[in-house]
């Protein structure tokens, strides 16, 4: 008999897990509390950066694994989700140099670009240091990717149910019982919990060793620009003379050029707290755009809000405890890996070991 798996959470991670599990023959039901395309979690909107460039070879390797799986998803769902436009990293030399070194060590193409060359190639960006460009990067369409995972999962036999909130998960023998807010009880051999910013509450009494998870409200903005879809993605690494010192990311999208600060938002309870954007942060983004993004209209930001769920070490939580597989703590940089994270989840459900790096109970201090 097929393994019965309930996936809780229909963001990008739960949807990818549902696809991989259904493709391996599991009997999958996914419960998502909100309607398709909702904007209350972390996976909505028109864009996320895909890139191979990390200073840490572990993440370069993970992104390299993710790339062909995005292409497989596109084939199985008949939906385009990933456009490679390349990525520009600029800012202090040690930060960008480490990225170039890691890409070279992994055998991936990368170039160093002078400020003059950068001005010719990307006139919308102001670059005042040697930049690093790698072509295997670009834009994932976030909403389309979630739809594609769910469509591909359904084509493989999964049942995807929106508007169903899971109110309890109880361990029963080697499996579990999942109860919805409407009182429906579903038995499962395995449960994948991929609930984004709801993880601190959902996991508290369910599994041990969950690192401290910090849920924050982030607020990037789209700025009007000519031909935004032609822009590369970019990261301006922080340092002296750059505000904020933690740097800024951005990319072109259907909605304009998106730019945002990484992980500076206020802590939020996703069910109860107000989500009004902070005016001072909007002003700071406009100031940044005026100075560093000559290709956008800095006077017309259109702000979006989104949740980060951040671990102390910024590594993810992808691990299993009994019948419960946890996908959590994607720390503002998980989307690009979603295609492979579903595969890691399916491996765990089938009893294969996970990476120590992502383990429950790891030291994170
Ligand atoms: C502003 C912003 C920019 C980002 N930019 C990038 C980027 O450029 N590149 C990148 O790689 N990553 C990026 N990320 C990170 C990436 O988007 C997230 O890591 C990823 O979307 C997390 O997905 P998730 O499935 O874990 O969470 P979510 O998308 O929040 O999904 C969890 C789902 O679970 C549902 N749920 C919760 N509780 C229940 C319940 N009890 N019953 C049923 N359903 C439930 C929720 O409704 C939600 O839909 C960004 C994030 C933000 C916020």
């Amino acid at each position: 008999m097929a393994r019965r798996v309930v996936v809780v959470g229909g963001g990008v991670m739960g949807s990818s897990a549902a696809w991989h599990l259904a493709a391996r023959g599991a009997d999958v039901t996914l419960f998502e509390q909100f309607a398709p395309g909702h904007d209350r979690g972390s996976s909505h909107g028109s864009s996320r950066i895909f890139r191979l460039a990390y200073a840490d070879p572990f993440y370069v390797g993970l992104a390299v694994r993710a790339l062909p799986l995005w292409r497989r998803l596109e084939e199985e769902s008949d939906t385009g989700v990933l456009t490679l436009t390349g990525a520009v990293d600029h800012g202090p030399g040690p930060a960008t140099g480490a990225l170039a070194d890691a890409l070279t060590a992994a055998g991936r193409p990368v170039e160093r670009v002078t400020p003059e060359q950068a001005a010719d190639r990307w006139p919308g960006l102001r670059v005042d240091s040697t930049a690093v460009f790698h072509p295997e990067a670009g834009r994932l369409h976030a909403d389309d990717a979630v739809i594609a995972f769910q469509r591909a999962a359904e084509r493989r036999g999964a049942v995807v149910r929106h508007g169903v909130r899971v109110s309890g998960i109880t361990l029963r023998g080697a499996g579990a019982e999942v109860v919805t807010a409407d009182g429906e009880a579903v038995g499962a051999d395995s449960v994948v919990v991929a609930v984004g910013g709801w993880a601190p509450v959902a996991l508290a009494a369910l599994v041990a060793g969950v690192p401290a998870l910090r849920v924050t409200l982030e607020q990037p903005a789209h700025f009007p620009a000519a031909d935004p879809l032609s822009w590369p993605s970019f990261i301006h690494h922080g340092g002296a003379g750059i505000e904020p010192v933690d740097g800024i990311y951005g990319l072109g999208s259907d909605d304009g050029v998106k730019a945002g600060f990484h992980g500076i938002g206020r802590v939020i309870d996703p069910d109860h707290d107000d989500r009004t954007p902070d005016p001072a942060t909007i002003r700071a983004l406009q100031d940044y755009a005026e100075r560093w993004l000559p290709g956008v209209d800095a006077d017309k930001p259109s702000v979006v809000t989104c949740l980060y769920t951040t671990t102390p070490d910024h590594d993810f939580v992808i691990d299993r405890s009994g019948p419960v597989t946890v996908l959590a703590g994607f720390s503002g940089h998980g989307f690009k890996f979603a295609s492979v994270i579903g595969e890691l989840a399916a491996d765990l459900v089938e009893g294969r070991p996970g990476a120590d790096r992502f383990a429950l109970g790891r030291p994170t201090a």
Side-chain angles (χ1 to χ4, degrees):
M1 213 174 77
R3 187 191 307 270
R4 295 166 307 155
V5 184
V6 170
V7 178
V8 186
V12 74
M13 302 306 174
S15 302
S16 174
W19 173 49
H20 282 280
L21 283 157
R24 294 185 190 188
D27 172 1
V28 178
T29 303
L30 182 152
F31 291 125
E32 163 55 47
Q33 63 183 341
F34 297 130
H38 78 86
D39 63 359
R40 310 283 299 166
S42 305
S43 301
H44 54 282
S46 56
S47 66
R48 293 291 184 281
I49 293 174
F50 177 83
R51 51 193 270 122
L52 302 187
Y54 272 75
D56 183 337
F58 177 86
Y59 282 106
V60 178
L62 200 63
V64 166
R65 278 181 68 182
L67 183 51
L69 289 170
W70 285 114
R71 297 307 185 202
R72 193 199 298 170
L73 172 69
E74 291 178 319
E75 278 170 30
E76 284 208 17
S77 63
D78 299 313
T79 311
V81 297
L82 173 61
T83 308
L84 295 183
T85 57
V88 177
D89 284 87
H90 64 114
T96 56
L99 297 175
D101 291 349
L103 287 167
T104 303
R108 314 308 296 200
V110 59
E111 332 167 30
R112 290 174 202 262
V113 180
T114 65
E116 297 72 33
Q117 291 167 330
D120 276 352
R121 287 172 72 173
W122 308 291
L125 288 174
R126 189 160 87 75
V127 172
D128 69 353
S129 56
T130 296
V132 165
F133 175 77
H134 78 291
E136 294 173 301
R139 172 180 61 252
L140 283 158
H141 196 296
D143 286 332
D144 288 353
V146 175
I147 292 168
F149 279 126
Q150 294 183 4
R151 182 178 296 154
E154 286 175 321
R155 286 182 179 177
R156 296 284 197 158
V159 174
V160 176
R161 293 176 57 187
H162 285 91
V164 182
R165 182 171 176 118
V166 168
S167 54
I169 301 170
T170 310
L171 305 188
R172 291 251 187 274
E177 182 178 75
V178 177
V179 179
T180 72
D182 291 339
E184 184 182 348
V186 181
D189 302 309
S190 297
V191 183
V192 177
V193 182
V195 293
W198 288 262
V201 173
L203 296 174
L206 191 61
V207 290
V210 181
L213 297 173
R214 195 166 174 271
V215 181
T216 54
L217 185 75
E218 306 297 330
Q219 51 171 89
H222 293 105
F223 293 95
D227 195 13
L229 295 178
S230 69
W231 280 53
S233 64
F234 58 90
I235 294 184
H236 189 177
H237 298 263
I242 302 160
E243 281 296 333
V245 288
D246 285 341
I248 194 155
Y249 66 87
L251 76 168
S253 77
D254 290 336
D255 299 316
V257 170
K258 183 165 96 175
F261 304 127
H262 181 58
I264 62 149
R266 64 181 183 269
V267 170
I268 182 176
D269 170 342
D271 278 327
H272 301 111
D273 287 345
D274 175 56
R275 297 194 182 202
T276 307
D278 167 33
T281 304
I282 302 172
R283 185 64 251 167
L285 268 177
Q286 289 183 266
D287 291 346
Y288 178 88
E290 266 164 25
R291 185 163 174 214
W292 293 99
L293 302 176
V296 308
D297 182 348
D299 292 334
K300 296 197 176 107
S302 170
V303 179
V304 287
T305 59
C306 182
L307 305 178
Y308 269 23
T309 306
T310 304
T311 61
D313 56 12
H314 298 262
D315 288 329
F316 313 145
V317 183
I318 305 174
D319 200 1
R320 190 166 71 90
S321 169
V324 178
T325 294
V326 177
L327 305 179
F330 291 100
S331 303
H333 66 118
F335 206 104
K336 67 183 72 60
F337 303 108
S339 58
V340 68
I341 285 165
E343 184 171 80
L344 301 179
D347 285 347
L348 287 164
V349 167
E350 290 182 344
R352 280 187 279 283
D356 293 345
R357 186 77 178 255
F358 296 146
L360 291 162
R362 66 178 185 258
T364 53

